[in-house]
Amino acid sequence: GNPRTPIKASKAGTVAVVGNYPAWYGQYVVLKHADGKFTGYAHNSAIHVSQGQSVSQGQQIATMGTTGPSTGEHCHFQIMNAAWPSSNAGFYNPRPYIF
């Protein structure tokens, strides 16, 4: 990826978490959506939202990066049942939601 690539909200929601977890995700954002699901965007170089902020679908929330244990610029995208799932069962395969 290009380190200047904007990371945009996949769906409207509220910013549930903005953090930096250097051992795993680097700089990351988690959004909570009206359907109860959460989306996570990790390894960002910059965050453009604050916790509690409402965001619209397509709004820039971050800039692509390679923070944390990453070997190159990319967006680590995930769909979850909680802001921080307690097990692997809390993660959804994003393929059915993207395609």
Side-chain angles (χ1 to χ4, degrees):
N2 181 325
R4 293 178 301 280
T5 300
I7 302 301
K8 298 180 179 183
S10 62
K11 197 172 177 180
T14 302
V15 179
V17 179
V18 172
N20 188 12
Y21 186 15
W24 196 252
Y25 289 129
Q27 293 189 57
Y28 68 99
V29 176
V30 176
L31 303 180
K32 182 176 183 180
H33 305 285
D35 63 2
K37 290 184 175 65
F38 294 77
T39 52
Y41 312 78
H43 304 299
N44 304 294
S45 63
I47 306 294
H48 302 284
V49 292
S50 302
Q51 190 166 339
Q53 180 180 341
S54 292
V55 298
S56 55
Q57 183 175 14
Q59 178 180 335
Q60 183 174 1
I61 58 173
T63 302
M64 185 181 290
T66 185
T67 58
S70 170
T71 58
E73 277 83 17
H74 70 286
C75 176
H76 178 121
F77 175 74
Q78 53 195 23
I79 302 171
M80 308 163 287
N81 67 2
W84 197 262
S86 60
S87 74
N88 286 343
F91 293 89
Y92 299 93
N93 180 349
R95 184 175 297 272
Y97 298 92
I98 293 172
F99 296 108

